[in-house]
């Protein structure tokens, strides 16, 4: 006999109360590391206490923010990348964006996610602290991490790939990797993740890519495979260090993003519950 919704909810609340919640999002602050391809994040205190004082002596402060949609921890919409003028499913990119926002495949098409998450800890599999700049994470390395951790990737999973590069987040120039390159999966790694049915993928770098030294974002094959060919959203600039330090490789993953109609991406604050 199945339990009632109330009983199921009570069990869930009890389980969550005993779990650890990992914040996988980066704090957003002026001057934080970001891709130079996007408008920066800016925060200011637009109204200060004392600017206006009510008759009873009360006062309020308020803020103003401006930001690109691909700054800080964020998720890419399928509309973010095109190939030969086409988006996922063969949608004409020019037509989709003609109204000044995407009428198809914008970030508002992505529903919130709650399901199984897997962390593939590549440095742990390789016996290093951090992958070198420009290192391409191979299919063999992805398979080694999954096997070592006993966490096979299953259809519908959110798969987070740790390169270790997140330890450099506070060093803006190094984290961007303009001179050193940035580690990440390439075309074959992206195809491997898609072939295993990943619903979402994420990484601890600014771009879910292997970026060779000095190449910048000249080519983004993993984005093409995932966004354009396979319809899989990408989460970038994640903080995966606490999960790795605690050896947590399987968890409940929760993703909710700003629901900006017609946008190519949106800031997010993903959580892992284990």
């Amino acid at each position: 006999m199945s339990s009632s919704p109330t009983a199921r909810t009570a069990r869930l609340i009890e389980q969550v109360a005993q779990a650890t919640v990992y914040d996988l999002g980066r704090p957003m602050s002026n001057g934080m590391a970001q891709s130079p391809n996007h408008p920066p994040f800016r925060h200011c205190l637009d109204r200060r206490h004392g600017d206006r004082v009510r008759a009873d002596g009360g006062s309020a402060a308020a803020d103003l923010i401006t930001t690109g949609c691909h700054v800080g921890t964020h998720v890419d919409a399928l509309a973010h990348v095109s190939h030969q003028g086409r988006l996922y499913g063969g949608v004409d990119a020019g037509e989709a964006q003609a109204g000044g926002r995407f009428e198809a495949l914008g970030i508002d098409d992505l529903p919130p996610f709650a399901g199984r998450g897997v962390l593939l800890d590549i440095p742990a599999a390789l016996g290093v602290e951090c992958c070198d700049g420009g290192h391409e994470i191979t299919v063999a390395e992805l398979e080694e991490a999954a096997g070592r951790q006993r966490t096979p990737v299953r259809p519908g999973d959110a798969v987070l790939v740790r390169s270790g590069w997140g330890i450099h987040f506070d060093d803006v120039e190094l984290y961007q990797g303009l001179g050193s390159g940035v580690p990440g999966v390439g075309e074959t790694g992206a195809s491997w993740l898609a072939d295993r049915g990943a619903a979402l993928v994420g990484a601890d770098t600014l771009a879910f890519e292997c970026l060779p030294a000095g190449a910048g974002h000249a080519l983004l094959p993993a984005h093409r495979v995932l966004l354009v060919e396979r319809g899989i959203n990408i989460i970038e600039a994640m903080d995966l260090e606490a999960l790795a330090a605690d050896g947590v490789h399987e968890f409940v993953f929760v993703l909710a993003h700003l629901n900006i109609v017609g946008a190519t991406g949106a800031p997010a604050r993903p959580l892992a519950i284990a």
Side-chain angles (χ1 to χ4, degrees), residues 10-272:
R11 286 200 302 272
L12 284 171
I13 291 172
E14 181 180 0
Q15 290 168 357
V16 170
Q18 297 172 354
T20 300
V21 178
Y22 294 85
D23 185 351
L24 309 184
R26 296 285 183 181
M28 301 186 78
S29 61
N30 293 337
M32 67 180 174
Q34 66 162 87
S35 167
N37 294 335
H38 300 287
F41 174 84
R42 290 286 184 266
H43 167 260
C44 71
L45 197 55
D46 185 60
R47 181 183 295 179
R48 299 170 184 268
H49 289 292
D51 288 349
R52 297 181 184 178
V53 180
R54 299 184 182 90
D56 64 357
S59 182
D63 315 64
L64 175 69
I65 62 170
T66 61
T67 186
C69 289
H70 300 266
V71 177
T73 306
H74 64 276
V75 56
D76 291 349
L78 300 186
H80 181 45
V81 169
S82 66
H83 186 69
Q84 304 292 352
R86 299 286 172 175
L87 303 172
Y88 175 67
V91 173
D92 185 282
E95 292 179 4
Q97 69 188 1
R101 67 184 189 189
F102 280 89
E103 299 300 327
L105 306 180
I107 199 62
D108 52 308
D109 279 359
L110 177 65
F113 179 94
R116 181 176 185 255
V118 171
L119 174 71
L120 296 182
D121 191 345
I122 304 305
L126 297 178
V128 298
E129 179 184 18
C130 175
C131 296
D132 293 333
H135 172 78
E136 181 172 348
I137 296 171
T138 65
V139 168
E141 291 168 0
L142 293 168
E143 291 177 338
E144 170 65 20
R148 176 180 178 273
Q149 301 168 180
R150 299 182 181 179
T151 53
V153 176
R154 301 169 183 161
D157 287 350
V159 185
L160 314 181
V161 180
R162 176 179 177 262
S163 68
W165 202 250
I167 64 175
H168 302 309
F169 184 79
D170 292 329
D171 186 331
V172 173
E173 184 175 350
L174 179 56
Y175 188 67
Q176 289 177 332
L178 300 180
S180 63
V182 177
V185 301
E187 182 173 1
T188 57
S191 295
W192 184 87
L193 292 165
D195 289 344
R196 272 139 196 82
L200 296 166
V201 297
D204 53 357
T205 55
L206 287 174
F208 192 91
E209 296 280 351
C210 170
L211 301 179
H217 293 189
L219 294 173
L220 300 175
H223 278 65
R224 171 179 51 78
V225 169
L226 294 165
L227 296 176
V228 182
E229 297 176 1
R230 309 299 288 271
I232 300 171
N233 296 83
I234 299 170
I235 314 161
E236 294 167 321
M238 303 184 78
D239 184 354
L240 304 177
E241 293 308 298
L243 279 179
D246 288 352
V248 177
H249 303 124
E250 186 177 28
F251 40 85
V252 174
F253 182 72
V254 179
L255 175 71
H257 55 280
L258 295 183
N259 197 18
I260 307 171
V261 175
T264 64
R269 192 173 184 179
L271 304 175

